[in-house]
Amino acid sequence: MQIECIDMWYLKEPVVEDIGDGSQDALIIRLNLSGHIGWGECEAAPLTTVAAMFAPMSHAACKPIFYDLVGRDISGPESIKKLSSEVKRNTMDHLQAPHAWSGIEMALWDALGKAVETPVWELLGYKVSHGKRPYASSLFGETPEETYYKGKEIRDKGFFAAKFGWAQFGMNDLSSDVQQLHAAREGIGPDLDLFIDAGQIFEGRFEEAKERLSALEKVKAGWFEEPFGGQSYASYSALKRCTTIRLAGGEASHSYEMAINCIEYGSVDVIQIDCGRIGGIWPATEVAKYAQKKKIQFVNHTFTSHLALSASLQPFAGIHEYNICEYPSNPKPLAREIAGEVLLPSANTLIYAPESPGLGVEVNIETLKKYSQNVKIEVSGKILYETPVIDS
Amino acid sequence: MQIECIDMWYLKEPVVEDIGDGSQDALIIRLNLSGHIGWGECEAAPLTTVAAMFAPMSHAACKPIFYDLVGRDISGPESIKKLSSEVKRNTMDHLQAPHAWSGIEMALWDALGKAVETPVWELLGYKVSHGKRPYASSLFGETPEETYYKGKEIRDKGFFAAKFGWAQFGMNDLSSDVQQLHAAREGIGPDLDLFIDAGQIFEGRFEEAKERLSALEKVKAGWFEEPFGGQSYASYSALKRCTTIRLAGGEASHSYEMAINCIEYGSVDVIQIDCGRIGGIWPATEVAKYAQKKKIQFVNHTFTSHLALSASLQPFAGIHEYNICEYPSNPKPLAREIAGEVLLPSANTLIYAPESPGLGVEVNIETLKKYSQNVKIEVSGKILYETPVIDS
């Protein structure tokens, strides 16, 4: 089978707010593999990512993603892995490239799965897609009261666990954060698991991260996520020596190697991988297998649509002991409408990487039409990219 | 003083070849700081980098570089460092951002230096700009004979050392590489230092890198550069245990933290930093100081113009023991013409970060006109970027 055509759409909410909510825009990829349509989603700044797809070559190791892709033969999983290696080499100095490639790689697995009528997780070598308990991922409220009610809502919906993060956490004094932590715990009640995501806010402020540990212990936090920047491994491992709270990180990884470094040097207890950033489904699967050997937790990082969610579930679908997954509990309408909310009929059920071929979710064409931005990129009179007409 | 205006131009050779020569295009930044003009150069895919400057905000941590920059007050070095931290936080999830910010940060130092009539290295806290011995950086020839003559030319010009890399090295069998290594040594003669740059070609092929060590020892290589990918620290440190040849790396670092990890976990003997990638002059300076404490070699990574070269010299200008620097010995005409070849009057002289204010080099306006590409980026009817007219 051959890659015949790859199209992409930059979708955006009418208003994008200056908040830590990654569901406000999207770059959706549609790939045609000898008539079989695959979909993918880059977790990335859409315009920059489109430019990375089509940018003129700078030199041998700084090529665009669209370099000799169309016409390539894809006969099975090995062809996807081989093409990924080639793209990685070709784009070594093109920084945005892994975020761009991620969406295409996803779409390749989806199309291949549909072509051979097999779910992606089975193409990855798994025999069974095990159910995962979804934890509801949410921003902290602007006030402790708001956080309390968000927590209560998550509990009322029946989730087993909640994650709170970003907003003002780490931006004010210690007592504000302590209040937020207690409000979150009170909102969800004593029995639910509580995860806290600092969103890298304590980068360069180690002591302030350390000061939060006692409150995290008091509210029985299940993990403390991204206290520092994605490459600040020494800070992670130093903080780990100060607490029994588990540390989580890895979402910033834009290569397999970075995720492994986060495990080996950052000593994280929970490695969190976003398939829309790390280079797609295959490198994420390799990280899941590595984590299994190291006996640490692997979990997806997903804050957007059910297309991204299905892709993120595939890498650890077949690993029984990884039985929880991140679930974006309150994304913007755009993210809800991309593929619908098909993977979780209700909060207290398990969530599965689908049994149907490919990624098992369908992109809603009406959503593309509704949110699509008209992009045009021209270099020296030549149009390198123009948003394609949505044909059906 | 205020940032009044920032302009940029994408320059390109008429033909860009599929070779490892990074001097075939450029993104040049011009910044107006209350009337003082500063210049910078991103070592990055130009079109993607322009998009990263102007891409609409995706969320709080995925903003464009051009977010609230114009009008900002820059009163001294601390303002540049503070603004850099803010940009880093604002663009945490915007992968291309460090490559984009690098050029602006350079231009800020240049403009500030001109405003206060001080060379950048003095603004960085150094008392003296020490001379560095330039080593001539070149691609391997397509054949051993070609490499031999390239080496001979470098010796005849009077350089003390040569670096060869890329081309076919590591792409064929061991004996081809051995022949190339011996041709390089024979070309430059027995007395010059010889550095070898594998350009990450042995990523995932540890044993093949190891097989080259004996030949590298025979030709008395001064270092072996980037045998593996920029984040494959475990492979670096494993290779180091197999040889007395020094290992060099770090050019792929797009943050201070990544360079430190390369030192701490990759165990490199030589840390090579490109100011056009790491986020500019200040993070590179911090790496140089860290390297000094760790008693390892710091050296610039530069493959383009003398503007980039001056910027790359600043971070270690005042550190006496770092007495060599990379010099692009055979760049394309574009790179030669951006700022002329002002820093090295002849090969056997020392090269200095200039004594004149700022970066001490001037960009040739005629070069901008000659090589400029007309770029236009439009989103939903709004022009986000259009190549500015070159006004003087």
Side-chain angles (χ1 to χ4, degrees):
Chain A
M1 289 174 292
Q2 286 195 332
I3 299 178
E4 287 183 4
C5 178
I6 306 172
D7 286 315
M8 63 197 69
W9 289 271
Y10 167 15
L11 311 183
K12 194 172 82 63
E13 282 284 325
V15 176
V16 172
E17 292 174 88
D18 190 357
I19 56 174
D21 179 350
S23 73
Q24 305 182 82
D25 64 10
L27 184 68
I28 300 292
I29 311 289
R30 185 182 68 184
L31 183 144
N32 183 324
L33 185 67
S34 289
H36 303 281
I37 302 299
W39 295 96
E41 183 175 342
C42 304
E43 174 47 32
L47 183 70
T48 308
T49 307
V50 171
M53 298 280 189
F54 299 99
M57 170 168 71
S58 289
H59 56 80
C62 191
K63 288 173 179 155
I65 294 291
F66 269 66
Y67 182 85
D68 198 23
L69 278 189
V70 172
R72 296 297 286 259
D73 192 62
I74 299 292
S75 53
E78 290 307 318
S79 331
I80 300 180
K81 298 174 202 172
K82 195 162 160 270
L83 187 57
S84 289
S85 298
E86 192 185 315
V87 169
K88 195 170 174 180
R89 174 90 195 146
N90 280 344
T91 60
M92 186 200 299
D93 287 347
H94 197 164
L95 194 47
Q96 189 72 17
H99 281 195
W101 178 246
S102 293
I104 297 184
E105 202 255 17
M106 261 181 221
L108 275 169
W109 285 107
D110 188 30
L112 178 64
K114 285 170 178 165
V116 299
E117 295 183 341
T118 308
V120 171
W121 51 265
E122 205 176 319
L123 292 176
L124 296 172
Y126 295 126
K127 301 262 181 281
V128 185
S129 168
H130 294 289
K132 317 286 181 193
R133 289 192 302 165
Y135 63 86
S137 221
S138 172
L139 302 179
F140 275 112
E142 285 303 299
T143 61
E145 289 67 34
E146 202 187 316
T147 298
Y148 172 84
Y149 286 109
K150 282 185 170 203
K152 202 170 166 304
E153 194 186 335
I154 289 168
R155 183 188 63 194
D156 292 347
K157 279 185 179 165
F159 285 99
F160 89 99
K163 184 173 95 176
F164 285 96
W166 293 77
Q168 294 294 309
F169 192 78
M171 288 181 161
N172 301 309
D173 59 6
L174 175 61
S175 72
S176 308
D177 287 354
V178 171
Q179 284 173 38
Q180 283 282 6
L181 292 173
H182 282 279
R185 169 52 76 198
E186 282 160 29
I188 63 170
D191 301 327
L192 271 65
D193 283 348
L194 173 63
F195 308 127
I196 300 298
D197 178 2
Q200 305 192 7
I201 196 71
F202 299 112
E203 174 70 13
R205 300 158 56 203
F206 181 84
E207 288 304 319
E208 289 172 77
K210 199 174 153 186
E211 279 169 14
R212 269 75 183 167
L213 294 174
S214 141
L216 286 162
E217 285 162 13
K218 269 188 199 136
V219 301
K220 298 193 168 58
W223 71 56
F224 189 28
E225 177 175 334
E226 280 215 312
F228 312 111
Q231 276 89 55
S232 297
Y233 308 132
S235 301
Y236 275 83
S237 52
L239 193 68
K240 192 171 151 72
R241 289 191 291 271
C242 306
T243 183
T244 55
I245 301 278
R246 295 192 303 161
L247 293 188
E251 68 182 79
S253 305
H254 55 81
S255 70
Y256 166 78
E257 291 75 21
M258 290 178 83
I260 301 312
N261 292 337
C262 196
I263 295 171
E264 290 296 334
Y265 308 120
S267 314
V268 294
D269 304 283
V270 183
I271 183 83
Q272 304 171 294
I273 297 301
D274 197 312
C275 282
R277 292 178 178 169
I278 199 172
I281 291 172
W282 179 247
T285 306
E286 295 258 87
V287 175
K289 289 177 178 169
Y290 190 95
Q292 197 181 16
K293 268 191 222 150
K294 298 284 294 189
K295 298 191 193 320
I296 67 157
Q297 175 94 34
F298 177 97
V299 78
N300 60 310
H301 174 264
T302 309
F303 217 87
T304 57
S305 74
H306 280 217
L307 171 62
L309 182 60
S310 171
S312 286
L313 289 169
Q314 307 294 331
F316 66 121
I319 304 179
H320 185 256
E321 63 262 39
Y322 296 153
N323 59 358
I324 67 169
C325 70
E326 178 162 47
Y327 184 79
S329 68
N330 197 23
K332 296 287 180 194
L334 159 62
R336 292 177 186 275
E337 294 168 25
I338 286 173
E341 295 183 287
V342 292
L343 295 186
L344 188 66
S346 67
N348 56 4
T349 54
L350 295 177
I351 192 169
Y352 290 85
E355 296 286 334
S356 36
L359 295 175
V361 295
E362 281 308 315
V363 167
N364 185 338
I365 300 297
E366 293 309 312
T367 304
L368 297 188
K369 288 181 184 166
K370 182 172 167 191
Y371 293 99
S372 174
Q373 306 296 303
N374 282 318
V375 176
K376 193 170 165 186
I377 301 179
E378 233 181 289
V379 176
S380 296
K382 196 177 157 192
I383 297 174
L384 297 186
Y385 173 79
E386 194 168 10
T387 300
V389 173
I390 300 156
D391 43 19
S392 57
Chain B
M1 290 174 291
Q2 286 195 329
I3 300 178
E4 289 183 1
C5 178
I6 306 172
D7 286 315
M8 63 197 69
W9 290 272
Y10 168 15
L11 312 183
K12 195 172 82 63
E13 282 283 326
V15 176
V16 172
E17 293 174 87
D18 189 356
I19 56 174
D21 178 350
S23 73
Q24 305 182 84
D25 64 11
L27 184 67
I28 300 293
I29 310 289
R30 186 183 67 185
L31 182 144
N32 183 325
L33 185 67
S34 290
H36 303 280
I37 302 299
W39 295 96
E41 183 175 342
C42 304
E43 175 47 32
L47 183 71
T48 308
T49 307
V50 171
M53 299 280 189
F54 299 99
M57 170 169 72
S58 289
H59 56 80
C62 191
K63 289 174 179 155
I65 294 290
F66 268 65
Y67 182 84
D68 198 24
L69 278 190
V70 171
R72 295 300 284 259
D73 192 61
I74 299 293
S75 53
E78 290 308 318
S79 332
I80 300 180
K81 296 174 202 172
K82 196 164 159 268
L83 186 57
S84 289
S85 298
E86 192 185 313
V87 169
K88 196 170 172 178
R89 173 88 196 148
N90 280 343
T91 61
M92 185 201 298
D93 287 346
H94 197 164
L95 193 47
Q96 189 72 14
H99 282 195
W101 177 245
S102 294
I104 296 184
E105 201 254 17
M106 260 181 223
L108 275 169
W109 285 106
D110 189 28
L112 178 65
K114 285 170 179 164
V116 299
E117 295 185 339
T118 307
V120 170
W121 51 265
E122 206 175 318
L123 293 175
L124 296 173
Y126 295 127
K127 301 263 182 277
V128 185
S129 168
H130 294 290
K132 317 286 182 193
R133 289 192 303 165
Y135 63 85
S137 222
S138 173
L139 302 179
F140 275 112
E142 286 303 299
T143 61
E145 291 67 33
E146 201 188 316
T147 297
Y148 171 85
Y149 285 108
K150 282 185 171 204
K152 201 169 168 304
E153 195 187 335
I154 288 169
R155 184 187 64 193
D156 292 346
K157 281 187 179 164
F159 285 98
F160 88 99
K163 185 172 96 178
F164 286 96
W166 293 77
Q168 294 293 310
F169 191 79
M171 289 182 160
N172 301 309
D173 60 7
L174 175 61
S175 73
S176 308
D177 287 354
V178 171
Q179 284 173 39
Q180 282 282 7
L181 291 173
H182 282 279
R185 170 50 79 196
E186 282 160 30
I188 63 170
D191 301 328
L192 271 65
D193 284 349
L194 174 63
F195 308 127
I196 300 299
D197 178 3
Q200 306 191 6
I201 197 72
F202 299 111
E203 175 69 15
R205 299 158 57 203
F206 182 83
E207 288 304 319
E208 289 172 78
K210 198 173 154 188
E211 280 170 10
R212 269 74 183 168
L213 294 174
S214 140
L216 285 162
E217 286 161 13
K218 270 189 197 135
V219 300
K220 297 193 167 56
W223 72 55
F224 189 27
E225 178 175 334
E226 281 215 310
F228 311 111
Q231 275 90 55
S232 297
Y233 307 134
S235 300
Y236 275 83
S237 53
L239 193 67
K240 192 171 151 72
R241 289 191 290 273
C242 305
T243 182
T244 55
I245 301 279
R246 296 193 302 161
L247 293 188
E251 69 182 77
S253 305
H254 55 81
S255 70
Y256 166 79
E257 292 75 23
M258 289 177 84
I260 301 312
N261 291 337
C262 196
I263 295 171
E264 289 296 334
Y265 308 120
S267 314
V268 293
D269 304 282
V270 183
I271 183 81
Q272 304 171 294
I273 298 300
D274 197 312
C275 282
R277 292 179 179 169
I278 197 170
I281 292 173
W282 179 248
T285 306
E286 296 258 85
V287 175
K289 289 177 178 170
Y290 190 95
Q292 197 180 17
K293 268 191 224 150
K294 298 285 294 188
K295 296 189 192 324
I296 68 157
Q297 175 94 34
F298 177 97
V299 78
N300 60 309
H301 174 264
T302 310
F303 218 86
T304 58
S305 75
H306 280 217
L307 170 62
L309 182 60
S310 172
S312 287
L313 289 169
Q314 309 293 334
F316 67 121
I319 304 179
H320 186 255
E321 65 261 39
Y322 296 153
N323 60 356
I324 67 168
C325 70
E326 178 161 48
Y327 183 81
S329 68
N330 197 23
K332 296 288 182 196
L334 159 63
R336 292 176 186 275
E337 294 168 26
I338 286 173
E341 295 183 286
V342 293
L343 296 185
L344 188 68
S346 67
N348 57 4
T349 55
L350 295 177
I351 193 167
Y352 291 86
E355 296 286 333
S356 37
L359 295 175
V361 296
E362 282 307 315
V363 167
N364 185 337
I365 300 296
E366 293 309 311
T367 304
L368 297 188
K369 290 180 184 166
K370 183 173 165 190
Y371 294 100
S372 174
Q373 305 296 304
N374 283 318
V375 176
K376 194 171 163 184
I377 301 179
E378 235 182 286
V379 176
S380 296
K382 197 177 155 194
I383 297 175
L384 297 186
Y385 173 79
E386 194 166 13
T387 301
V389 172
I390 300 156
D391 42 21
S392 57

